[in-house]
Amino acid sequence: MESNLPSDEVADQHNGVFHEDDEDAFILEEIGDSLDGQPKKGIMFDSEDDAVRFYKGYAKTKGFGVVRRTARHGDDRKLNYFTLACSRQGKAQYSSKNSYNPNPLTRMQCPAKVNFACRGEKFCITSVTLDHNHPTSPSKSRFLRSHKKLDLHAKRMLELNDQAGIRMNKNFGSLVMEAGGYEQLEFGEKECRNYLQEKRRLKLGAGDAHAVYQYFLHMQSKDPDFFHVMDVVEDGRLRNVFWADARSRATYEPYWDVITFDTTYLTNKYSMPFAPFVGVNHHGESVLLGCGLLSNEDTETFIWLFKSWLCCMSNKAPNAIITDQCKAMQNAIEEVFPQARHRWCIWHIMKKILEKLSGYEKYENIKYTMSNAVYDSLTKHDFDEAWLKMIKKYELHDNEWLASLYGNKYRWVPAYVKDTFWAGMSSRQRSESVNAFFDGYVNARTTLKQFVEQYENALRDKVEKENKADSKSFQEVIPCITHYDFERQFQETYTNAKFKEFQEQLRGKIYCYPTQVNKEGSLFTFRVREDRKIFFEGEDGEIKDKRIISEFTVLFDQGECDVQCACRLFEFRGILCSHILSVLALMEITEVPSRYILQRWRKDFKRKHTFIKCSYDDMLNTPLVQRYDNLCKHSREVAENGAESDALYALVMDGLGQLQIKIDAHRASQEVQEEDQTKKHEETMSNKEKIGNTLCEGYEAQSACFFPNEFQVLQTNEPATLIQINSYIDILQGKKDVLDLLSATLND
């Protein structure tokens, strides 16, 4: 055996391995000599690619995947040896941290493999192991990564459909239908998605500023409510841009109370400051309220953007704004939105724990303790006490990040901000939703012009989702889980998504135990004990969970049916909490006042933005496209009729043949006409040239027959008046020799 082969490549001959005893002992074969396509010792290949292609073809017919296992190069970096093995080779490694939810494993130490060695300019199989220690299935080969590939036709179709704004699932579906089924494709939807992600670009390309400006002008010509602002520097370069379509502007009217402004999405991924303004609709879904692309993230730029957006929204500032931690953004908000409550996105803060605290020995314990202090503190006092205890216990006094967070606790800690309505936009799901708003439409390689166009596609997709949610809320009813009349009240008025949130609090009522502790006139004071589960650090340093009893004070005015809970969930999210519901049930309240049924969550309220279409497809609706679409429409109708029977099919095919003959004849006649017109044009130009030459000769040789001085007084850059035209005629009529010269030239 060759000395450069690793020892673990040797296998027993009884297991289907052929050993190389002597290089001269090889029986050199061509690929075609292997009648069954099975790898055999001694088969020669012209190149590495041919060798890989051969073994992958064999693997596909047998139903297993292929991976490259080992490779060796010489001093000249030329490939001398490599191994292709079954994709289930190697030892399984458990990567999941949750032993109760392990990740699936594929590796089974399968011995199947083929070794290739370089022989001159070719590659030769030196040893083969054919047996597998697991079942194989040829019908499932198309699902294995090594057998997936996109052909040129598929790539082109994906690109064209993507440019047309066709969603990925429909784009892939068209390829499936064209191929005749999934099993006829050598790729899946994931491969298509990955390919398109590689093809898109997000950068300011040459000519993009002008293209975007023209695009905006077209949008505004179609819809006067389309708003855009472009910040251009002195040399003409585009620095910042903001735009909002008519639907986004109308959407702000019912959802103006809370917005989130997040520049971290494309900044983190692609170093491109993309700045969307996002609100939340009556289903709790993200809605776009305009967006910008920025050259940088300083205070001046944010002030420009916020003022542009405020002008777009008729100078109606929001009540509350959620952003990430950014001093420049904070300064701009204080100047442009001085009355708005500004808070930091808690999701962004908690996500930085790993980066800021992972160097500590007890990182896991610190993480859980900090999370408990943030999320489980019911009051400001509870948070302060838990936070200071954490700092002392883990000796974190010198950590500047934690010190800064504590100094700005009123900007992000739930206990400090829950007195303001945030419409549920403080949750992790909201940030992820903002970040995913444009996923599938843009990425790092999309040009600015493409981005603005894909913005419409992304917005249209969100509008369709809102329409579907509206339809479901009207067509479907979520059953009540209790016999309480006030549950049915919310069922009839709230959208399905928000009614589910209400039911979640209603389920939590079973853990709540209200007790009346005071009564002054019609004002009742209740203490509600809630059975909760929290995580904590045990004495052994391990993270454990335990049940605790939390107490909440609920005030209830029986006369006004006014209720308030210390947890402030209603003020924070607009949903009555389980503590209040337990008191309402205890007091036998059958119907809650209308002030506790927020209009922004209602399904029976007509909103202006739902009547505004979000489509600018007519941009591409040129006469050519209109004719094509119309022909396709009628062609489909003819095809449907022709497919009903053989006789109709033959009739349609005969008609199409005759139509094609007429089209060809028409094109031929058009070509003849174009040739005739070309000849006439050439003759006319030739005559003009003769006239010019003759006049020039006459002017030079016979100055007496042409008097240019008489025309000087009539020379002007303005359109000729009637008086001037008559003057020209009078002059020419007095010059009979000039007219004779012109006539003679034309007759020639």
Side-chain angles (χ1 to χ4, degrees):
M1 187 168 188
E2 290 185 351
S3 59
N4 64 336
L5 293 179
S7 58
D8 62 350
E9 298 296 276
V10 181
D12 185 46
Q13 187 168 352
H14 295 291
N15 291 330
V17 181
F18 299 86
H19 300 282
E20 177 185 12
D21 297 324
D22 185 10
E23 188 172 321
D24 297 332
F26 280 103
I27 303 175
L28 304 181
E29 304 178 23
E30 295 297 329
I31 299 177
D33 295 336
S34 181
L35 298 179
D36 57 357
Q38 182 171 293
K40 294 181 180 179
K41 177 183 177 182
I43 298 180
M44 297 292 292
F45 302 90
D46 291 335
S47 66
E48 175 191 0
D49 290 339
D50 288 342
V52 173
R53 191 179 303 112
F54 169 76
Y55 189 62
K56 287 180 68 174
Y58 165 75
K60 186 175 181 180
T61 61
K62 296 300 180 181
F64 66 92
V66 177
V67 294
R68 183 185 290 268
R69 183 172 178 181
T70 56
R72 291 188 177 181
H73 297 78
D75 295 337
D76 57 354
R77 295 188 177 182
K78 181 180 179 181
L79 181 64
N80 292 333
Y81 168 86
F82 69 95
T83 298
L84 298 180
C86 173
S87 59
R88 306 194 71 173
Q89 56 82 39
K91 188 176 181 180
Q93 296 180 350
Y94 295 88
S95 58
S96 177
K97 295 182 179 180
N98 186 355
S99 60
Y100 293 101
N101 186 26
N103 295 326
L105 302 174
T106 58
R107 296 189 176 186
M108 296 185 62
Q109 294 184 301
C110 179
K113 63 183 178 181
V114 175
N115 296 325
F116 298 87
C118 183
R119 296 290 181 264
E121 297 298 324
K122 297 187 176 184
F123 284 87
C124 177
I125 295 179
T126 59
S127 64
V128 180
T129 303
L130 298 178
D131 294 340
H132 297 264
N133 64 358
H134 58 87
T136 60
S137 174
S139 64
K140 296 180 175 60
S141 292
R142 63 189 180 92
F143 297 109
L144 301 174
R145 183 186 303 175
S146 60
H147 302 311
K148 293 181 177 182
K149 66 176 181 179
L150 280 168
D151 55 38
L152 182 60
H153 170 70
K155 291 179 179 179
R156 184 58 181 158
M157 291 298 296
L158 287 170
E159 291 176 16
L160 291 175
N161 289 338
D162 183 57
Q163 291 174 9
I166 297 176
R167 294 172 56 187
M168 185 63 247
N169 60 334
K170 293 183 178 180
N171 201 343
F172 176 67
S174 67
L175 295 175
V176 173
M177 297 299 295
E178 183 183 30
Y182 291 95
E183 62 278 357
Q184 302 300 324
L185 294 178
E186 294 184 326
F187 51 84
E189 184 173 347
K190 181 179 179 181
E191 286 68 39
C192 296
R193 194 178 301 278
N194 291 341
Y195 174 74
L196 288 180
Q197 287 178 351
E198 293 176 0
K199 295 298 292 182
R200 295 169 180 152
R201 304 182 296 131
L202 182 53
K203 62 182 181 181
L204 181 59
D208 267 356
H210 178 71
V212 171
Y213 179 66
Q214 293 299 320
Y215 176 88
F216 285 160
L217 287 181
H218 184 88
M219 292 296 95
Q220 206 162 36
S221 69
K222 296 297 180 182
D223 182 0
D225 288 330
F226 185 90
F227 185 96
H228 72 277
V229 183
M230 301 179 72
D231 180 22
V232 182
V233 294
E234 293 179 357
D235 59 1
R237 288 184 296 106
L238 181 62
R239 183 165 54 186
N240 306 302
V241 60
F242 167 78
W243 73 98
D245 70 303
R247 185 182 175 100
S248 294
R249 299 180 72 184
T251 301
Y252 182 66
E253 291 185 18
Y255 309 128
W256 64 276
D257 43 10
V258 187
I259 67 166
T260 182
F261 178 73
D262 186 1
T263 62
T264 62
Y265 171 41
L266 293 184
T267 303
N268 287 345
K269 274 187 165 183
Y270 312 118
S271 299
M272 178 67 188
F274 162 58
F277 294 86
V278 177
V280 60
N281 66 10
H282 51 305
H283 300 287
E285 299 172 343
S286 297
V287 289
L288 198 61
L289 305 174
C291 64
L293 291 169
L294 309 178
S295 60
N296 85 48
E297 298 178 271
D298 56 18
T299 299
E300 180 183 358
T301 301
F302 284 129
I303 289 177
W304 175 88
L305 181 64
F306 291 158
K307 285 185 176 180
S308 299
W309 182 81
L310 188 60
C311 177
C312 173
M313 299 305 174
S314 303
N315 291 315
K316 186 176 184 179
N319 280 344
I321 304 175
I322 303 173
T323 71
D324 60 313
Q325 287 175 274
C326 175
K327 186 62 177 177
M329 198 181 300
Q330 179 179 324
N331 294 337
I333 289 174
E334 290 174 355
E335 178 172 334
V336 183
F337 309 117
Q339 303 302 321
R341 180 70 186 275
H342 177 209
R343 71 170 293 184
W344 294 337
C345 178
I346 194 172
W347 180 70
H348 286 128
I349 293 174
M350 301 305 287
K351 192 174 65 171
K352 293 179 181 178
I353 293 179
L354 176 64
E355 173 191 349
K356 302 293 185 179
L357 304 178
S358 59
Y360 289 92
E361 182 179 354
K362 292 188 175 182
Y363 162 71
E364 290 293 335
N365 297 332
I366 296 174
K367 181 179 70 172
Y368 276 102
T369 304
M370 181 175 172
S371 296
N372 286 337
V374 172
Y375 293 113
D376 293 332
S377 297
L378 304 178
T379 65
K380 299 175 182 178
H381 174 75
D382 291 343
F383 171 78
D384 292 336
E385 187 177 38
W387 185 274
L388 296 176
K389 183 178 179 181
M390 175 190 71
I391 297 296
K392 181 179 180 180
K393 181 175 182 179
Y394 299 108
E395 299 179 353
L396 302 171
H397 304 87
D398 297 331
N399 189 291
E400 296 181 359
W401 180 66
L402 291 177
S404 175
L405 287 180
Y406 188 70
N408 289 278
K409 56 189 176 183
Y410 60 93
R411 292 191 182 276
W412 65 279
V413 177
Y416 279 85
V417 300
K418 63 183 181 180
D419 58 335
T420 301
F421 179 66
W422 300 99
M425 294 185 71
S426 59
S427 65
R428 171 179 302 188
Q429 291 79 10
R430 179 63 45 215
S431 286
E432 291 174 344
S433 178
V434 172
N435 288 353
F437 205 102
F438 287 89
D439 279 351
Y441 294 96
V442 297
N443 64 29
R445 300 180 182 178
T446 306
T447 64
L448 180 57
K449 180 175 179 293
Q450 289 172 336
F451 177 88
V452 177
E453 293 171 348
Q454 289 299 329
Y455 160 90
E456 298 295 342
N457 293 332
L459 188 59
R460 192 178 301 116
D461 180 46
K462 299 301 178 184
V463 169
E464 180 62 17
K465 288 183 177 179
E466 181 176 332
N467 292 337
K468 287 181 179 179
D470 282 340
S471 177
K472 282 193 171 185
S473 291
F474 278 96
Q475 301 292 336
E476 302 175 3
V477 177
I478 298 176
C480 291
I481 58 176
T482 70
H483 62 270
Y484 295 125
D485 291 337
F486 56 72
E487 182 187 8
R488 189 170 296 104
Q489 187 181 3
F490 285 97
Q491 179 195 49
E492 294 173 353
T493 54
Y494 272 16
T495 62
N496 287 355
K498 288 301 166 181
F499 180 57
K500 285 182 179 179
E501 290 186 27
F502 173 81
Q503 285 189 323
E504 182 182 347
Q505 294 299 317
L506 195 56
R507 291 187 185 94
K509 173 184 171 295
I510 65 175
Y511 300 107
C512 297
Y513 310 97
T515 303
Q516 179 181 330
V517 295
N518 190 28
K519 180 179 183 298
E520 294 182 4
S522 62
L523 181 61
F524 292 79
T525 302
F526 291 90
R527 182 177 67 245
V528 180
R529 302 173 71 248
E530 181 184 7
D531 191 341
R532 304 166 59 218
K533 179 187 287 188
I534 66 168
F535 295 90
F536 70 102
E537 179 189 356
E539 295 181 358
D540 56 358
E542 296 295 324
I543 302 301
K544 301 179 181 180
D545 62 83
K546 69 175 181 179
R547 290 175 52 197
I548 64 169
I549 301 297
S550 298
E551 292 188 356
F552 299 86
T553 300
V554 176
L555 301 178
F556 177 70
D557 188 335
Q558 192 173 28
E560 299 293 332
C561 198
D562 191 12
V563 63
Q564 189 179 73
C565 180
C567 77
R568 310 290 286 178
L569 182 70
F570 179 74
E571 291 78 7
F572 189 73
R573 290 176 52 192
I575 300 293
L576 289 177
C577 64
S578 55
H579 319 119
I580 287 179
L581 295 178
S582 66
V583 171
L584 293 179
L586 181 65
M587 298 299 291
E588 300 181 354
I589 300 299
T590 59
E591 184 175 309
V592 299
S594 59
R595 60 179 172 274
Y596 296 111
I597 301 178
L598 299 189
Q599 181 173 290
R600 71 167 358 266
W601 302 144
R602 296 180 70 103
K603 64 183 178 182
D604 56 351
F605 180 75
K606 297 296 183 181
R607 295 169 174 86
K608 176 182 175 182
H609 72 277
T610 59
F611 298 99
I612 299 177
K613 294 183 65 175
C614 172
S615 177
Y616 298 95
D617 295 333
D618 60 329
M619 283 188 63
L620 303 176
N621 207 13
T622 62
L624 175 65
V625 174
Q626 290 177 352
R627 292 193 296 267
Y628 178 82
D629 289 343
N630 197 30
L631 287 171
C632 286
K633 177 182 178 181
H634 287 83
S635 297
R636 285 193 295 269
E637 295 173 357
V638 172
E640 290 175 1
N641 294 327
E644 292 179 1
S645 66
D646 291 340
L648 287 175
Y649 173 78
L651 181 65
V652 171
M653 293 302 295
D654 179 65
L656 289 175
Q658 295 296 326
L659 182 60
Q660 187 61 51
I661 293 174
K662 293 181 179 180
I663 292 174
D664 293 340
H666 177 77
R667 284 178 173 171
S669 65
Q670 288 293 107
E671 290 176 359
V672 172
Q673 292 180 10
E674 289 176 0
E675 290 178 1
D676 292 343
Q677 290 177 357
T678 302
K679 289 181 180 179
K680 290 181 179 179
H681 178 71
E682 291 175 351
E683 291 175 357
T684 302
M685 294 302 295
S686 176
N687 289 336
K688 288 182 178 180
E689 185 176 356
K690 289 180 181 179
I691 293 173
N693 292 337
T694 303
L695 290 177
C696 288
E697 292 172 359
Y699 177 76
E700 293 174 358
Q702 306 176 20
S703 59
C705 72
F706 202 84
F707 299 92
N709 291 335
E710 297 182 40
F711 290 93
Q712 287 180 358
V713 294
L714 302 175
Q715 291 177 357
T716 175
N717 292 328
E718 300 298 327
T721 64
L722 182 60
I723 296 176
Q724 290 172 332
I725 293 173
N726 291 332
S727 299
Y728 277 108
I729 294 173
D730 292 341
I731 293 172
L732 288 174
Q733 286 177 345
K735 308 296 180 182
K736 186 175 183 301
D737 50 353
V738 176
L739 295 176
D740 292 341
L741 177 62
L742 288 171
S743 177
T745 304
L746 292 174
N747 291 332
D748 291 340

